[in-house]
Amino acid sequence: MSVVTVQLGQCGNQVGQELFDVISSDAQVGHRGGYSGASCERFFHQTTQGELLARAVLVDMEPKVINQSLVRAGKSGRWRYDEASCFSQKQGSGNNWANGFCVHGPHHRDVVEELMRREAERCDRLAGFIPVMSVAGGTGSGVGTYVTQCLRDIYPKSFIINHLTWPYGTGEVIVQNYNSVLTLAHLYQLSDAVLVHENDTVHRICSQLLRIKHISFGDINKVIAHQLGSILQPALTADSHGAYSRNPLGELVSALACHPEYKLLSVSTIPQMPRSSIAYSTFIWPALLKHLRQMLISNAKMEEGIDWQVRPPAASERTRTLTGPGFNTSLANLLVLRGKDVFSAETGDFEDAALYTSWLSSHDAFNVWKSSVPFNKYEKSATLVSNSQALLRSLDLMVGKAWNMFASRAYIHQYVRFGISEEDFLDSFTCLEQVISSYAQLR
Amino acid sequence: MTQSVVVQVGQCGNQVGWRFWDLALREHAHVNSRGVYDEALSSFFRNVEYRRSDGGACAVGGRIQHLKARAVLVDMEEGVVNEILQGPLREVFDSTQLLTDVSGSGNNWAVGHMTYGSAYREQIVDKLRKAAEQCDCLQCFFLIHSMGGGTGSGLGTRVLSLLEEEFPEVCRIVTSVYPSVEDDVIISPYNSVLAMRQLTEHADCVLPVENQSLIEIVNKITRMSDRGRLGAGTKRDCTITSWQGGLRGPEKPFDAMNNIVANLLLSLTSSARFEGCLNMDLNELAMNLVPFPRLHYLVPSLSPLYTLADVHVPSTRLDRIFSDAFSKDHQLIRADPKHSLYLACALLVRGRVQVSDLRWNIERLRPSLPFVSWNQEGWKTSLCAVPPVGHACSLLVLANNTCVKPTFMELRDRFTKLYKKKAHLHHYLHVEGVEQSLFSEAFNSLSELIEDYSRLDAVKGTPMPDPPRLSIAS
């Protein structure tokens, strides 16, 4: 089954291009038979000349980034984008969510819907959509939300998982918190699940784990692409009966997003190290999984600086609403293991009921996907997709800053002139306070 | 890709504009190695087949034939415009883009705004419309003028209000050159305050530049280059202060100062013209930097300014560039933003700079910069891959900062000194359409603006409690 990616705005198009790059180079490593076939089918459309065209729609309100993505993709020699699947305008959205959502989105609705329909119809079986976007700007956030709404209208039964990039806390765009709040509140009603990467976190991974001195957005996007690729590439799941899963998005959603109030998913991957070190490292599953589990419960985003003091509460404490300091309660977890000896990896520790909220059995809350094919040069790698309190603090900060700014009504005139009212802002704040409250009470 | 039209009004406006076009051509020539008329060029230039204005316009992608600036040149005296038309840039403009008269405005805002404004209204609108129609997607009008005289100040602000009337959707970014205290035009405070009201009401963003600051900067550069040993290492085609390598004749007194302002405009538009990993369009400028409609005065500061003149300082020391940009010597108005309150700040970086370098510098400088409580991380950043000619990288900082208040207050004081005694008022009242209420209204508008800034300043430094969040019934 095939996945259609919709790349929105500068971030979405840059991340998307890196994602397809990682996937295509992983898929085209030799002697992988079914894996390569499944991966290509899932993400690429093969033309009669044998060329691989990404199953993607590229949308941006200004042309420079899409042009760059087209060129970069073509350079790889392994795959490219279909130029006919691109849509760009001349003038951007001005970092204004309202401009993207109320003006550009509706204005270009027909053309963009047609492009998405075309990609969807080229799939033998459609697994669902992944809109890729940032929340800080105007196009990714505003047009991205509008496009998600269109997708929901046209394909009410399809799975839609949005991939969001959250900006650096110390600001790339001044009104980023407004744009983020408006986006998240709307997507909560439209998406099946929201997969989040934070620039701050990925930046730390680049500097501390990958030891990159001068980190560029290209480096950040490659890490995001690696983590996303390790989730989305073919794997054997509990429901797939010995073959590669035909319904990856559906299974992801049913494994992790079982409740409409809990849709925020975070990602951690282990190991991550400079390319040059991989050859000198050996990995064993028990060590990898132990670190990953501790990363989960202590809400560490990477395998350096993990706080080993954090422990799940003992059984006696669980009846009270207290949790230990720094303990990250999960609603559900999905572990994706790839590489050598994967079937002998012991994952029982992740099924510990103490990790999870009390109203879901740990059997339902935890799922494992496996693939014996090593991913992206790592002999063994493990990725954890988690629906937990991991994003709670960032979300709370984001809403707090936006609220602070809203209280002084700064910049509101810029949104009002494009069609958003103060009421709309209040509705979005209310929705997110509800989400924050739900996650905070997850015990 | 979008296009912008530059409207230069008055003597100062046209002289700065002239430098801008010269430098822009040089910059594009440096980058555009294949002679192809690309998107970057089309943002400020048309490509036509014949030297005459009725030549067919060529689309993007073809060879460069004859470049014509997307500009409208207005002056009520012929001197400067004639010089432009006789100089090496004459091919870049054609007669349909010009509007001149002979007698000038006599340093009288009212003559510029009312008399000429009415007389030439149709022609001005016509020329603006023509320039706009020649654009595929017009994003922004850049108005360049001075505040102290008659044409730039009066007619310039009339053009501004016409732009708002005729093209309300197009962003209006105004570069205004404010007179120094020792200005030789006695009534420049009248002209400036009358013009300020127009700017507050009709502009989207204003980049105020003070002559005094420019003079000080140029003097510093001259002192440093005199001090340094100018050997083979000095880059001679630096565009910051020098006309060398450009198309002009012998250097004139205001040239170095005008170069700085022209560089400001080049840096401002670089991300819209060239590619980079974090682009910034011009419409994002107003969106991010203007939290309340009237407070749209953005203090510009450019860096590096001196380094090329001083051969001992390597020009790629990025942290030095950042620190300099926030020092009061680099501001283009006489102000010290570090000791006032930041409402918002934009960093436009050009050259081979990575996002981590940018973030590191922001984190380093942030503790010393006071930001308003509701915008503690009020940074807008952009990274453009193409550096200016002769530099490895550069930084333009646009700060919405209450440090403009002293400048405005000083202006108001100079106005009051004259107005109290009704000095020279009759020159204005004689002009048709002018009533005394015009003066009091302009004064009030300026006072209100100063009051807005004062109110923000009043809470500076006092820790504000966060407003209580919405509570959800659980």
Side-chain angles (χ1 to χ4, degrees), chain A residues 377-388:
Chain A
K377 311 258 181 10
Y378 287 94
E379 184 201 63
K380 298 185 175 79
S381 69
T383 299
L384 187 67
V385 188
S386 191
N387 189 342
S388 70

Side-chain angles (χ1 to χ4, degrees), chain A residues 315-390:
Chain A
S316 57
E317 290 170 349
R318 287 186 63 220
T319 48
R320 294 181 273 157
T321 49
L322 292 173
T323 55
F327 178 70
N328 180 33
T329 309
S330 300
L331 174 57
N333 282 305
L334 170 65
L335 192 58
V336 184
L337 304 177
R338 296 183 185 275
K340 223 172 119 190
D341 303 328
V342 81
F343 296 105
S344 60
E346 286 289 325
T347 57
D349 281 340
F350 282 91
E351 272 193 62
D352 182 358
L355 264 50
Y356 298 98
T357 184
S358 49
W359 42 266
L360 202 61
S361 87
S362 57
H363 179 72
D364 292 326
F366 178 67
N367 283 277
V368 189
W369 294 356
K370 294 184 179 179
S371 156
S372 56
V373 177
F375 174 70
N376 207 14
K377 311 258 181 10
Y378 287 94
E379 184 201 63
K380 298 185 175 79
S381 69
T383 299
L384 187 67
V385 188
S386 191
N387 189 342
S388 70
Q389 296 173 315

Side-chain angles (χ1 to χ4, degrees), chain A residues 95 170 214-215 403 411 433, chain B residues 288 291 356-357 359 380 469:
Chain A
N95 286 167
T170 52
H214 296 285
I215 300 168
W403 182 248
Y411 299 102
E433 293 287 4
Chain B
N288 281 283
S356 59
D357 297 325
R359 306 226 63 76
K380 165 66 183 160
R469 298 267 291 270

Side-chain angles (χ1 to χ4, degrees), chain A residues 11-328:
Chain A
C11 174
N13 279 291
Q14 285 174 192
V15 169
Q17 186 258 317
E18 295 287 355
L19 176 62
F20 280 107
D21 223 33
V22 161
I23 289 176
S24 78
S25 75
D26 182 51
Q28 288 175 339
V29 173
H31 311 303
R32 286 177 165 195
Y35 182 85
S36 300
S39 171
C40 285
E41 172 65 30
R42 194 177 280 191
F43 294 105
F44 297 95
H45 166 75
Q46 195 150 32
T47 63
T48 43
Q49 288 92 12
E51 277 188 299
L52 287 181
L53 295 182
R55 296 189 192 279
V57 176
L58 290 73
V59 178
D60 201 356
M61 291 300 110
E62 56 113 0
K64 295 196 289 277
V65 183
I66 289 187
N67 290 340
Q68 250 177 35
S69 298
L70 288 174
V71 165
R72 285 218 184 104
K75 275 204 188 122
S76 75
R78 295 185 303 260
W79 67 280
R80 63 180 181 84
Y81 285 113
D82 182 356
E83 269 113 34
S85 296
C86 300
F87 176 76
S88 68
Q89 285 296 277
K90 308 227 176 70
Q91 187 164 194
S93 306
N95 286 167
N96 190 323
W97 189 92
N99 194 2
F101 187 80
C102 307
V103 175
H104 283 128
H107 198 65
H108 305 299
R109 179 191 188 129
D110 292 334
V111 179
V112 177
E113 275 186 359
E114 188 46 45
L115 288 182
M116 296 193 297
R117 234 189 282 268
R118 193 169 150 265
E119 270 312 319
E121 276 158 24
R122 279 218 277 232
C123 304
D124 270 344
R125 300 250 285 270
L126 181 65
F129 297 91
I130 304 183
V132 181
M133 55 210 245
S134 72
V135 294
T139 300
S141 70
V143 176
T145 306
Y146 188 80
V147 163
T148 307
Q149 191 174 283
C150 295
L151 280 174
R152 192 39 93 208
D153 286 337
I154 311 175
Y155 301 96
K157 304 274 195 337
S158 275
F159 292 104
I160 301 177
I161 299 183
N162 288 67
H163 175 264
L164 302 183
T165 302
W166 286 9
Y168 287 99
T170 52
E172 294 168 25
V173 168
I174 292 178
V175 289
Q176 62 187 42
N177 297 309
Y178 280 163
N179 293 335
S180 307
V181 164
L182 291 164
T183 305
L184 283 169
H186 280 77
L187 286 184
Y188 234 75
Q189 322 304 327
L190 300 168
S191 282
D192 292 304
V194 169
L195 198 52
V196 175
H197 272 103
E198 299 175 82
N199 270 348
D200 277 310
T201 306
V202 180
H203 187 104
R204 280 206 306 275
I205 292 176
C206 285
S207 91
Q208 291 175 248
L209 295 182
L210 301 180
R211 307 224 176 279
I212 302 175
K213 274 191 78 185
H214 296 285
I215 300 168
S216 66
F217 273 121
D219 299 317
I220 301 221
N221 294 341
K222 286 189 171 65
V223 172
I224 295 179
H226 172 81
Q227 295 197 343
L228 266 184
S230 70
I231 303 170
L232 297 173
Q233 282 290 61
L236 305 173
T237 69
D239 292 338
S240 67
H241 310 298
Y244 288 114
S245 165
R246 309 296 306 273
N247 187 15
L249 299 188
E251 294 195 46
L252 192 97
V253 170
S254 73
L256 292 170
C258 53
H259 190 298
E261 255 168 47
Y262 301 91
K263 290 186 181 175
L264 295 179
L265 309 179
S266 60
V267 189
S268 330
T269 303
I270 194 173
Q272 287 187 167
M273 54 180 43
R275 281 260 171 269
S276 46
S277 311
I278 300 181
Y280 303 103
S281 317
T282 41
F283 310 112
I284 52 168
W285 286 117
L288 290 176
L289 293 176
K290 186 163 173 213
H291 277 75
L292 197 53
R293 182 178 181 275
Q294 193 62 23
M295 278 160 68
L296 168 66
I297 62 182
S298 65
N299 198 13
K301 304 295 209 265
M302 54 182 183
E303 67 258 39
E304 207 156 295
I306 301 178
D307 183 355
W308 291 93
Q309 302 296 335
V310 177
R311 297 215 173 293
S316 57
E317 290 170 349
R318 287 186 63 220
T319 48
R320 294 181 273 157
T321 49
L322 292 173
T323 55
F327 178 70
N328 180 33

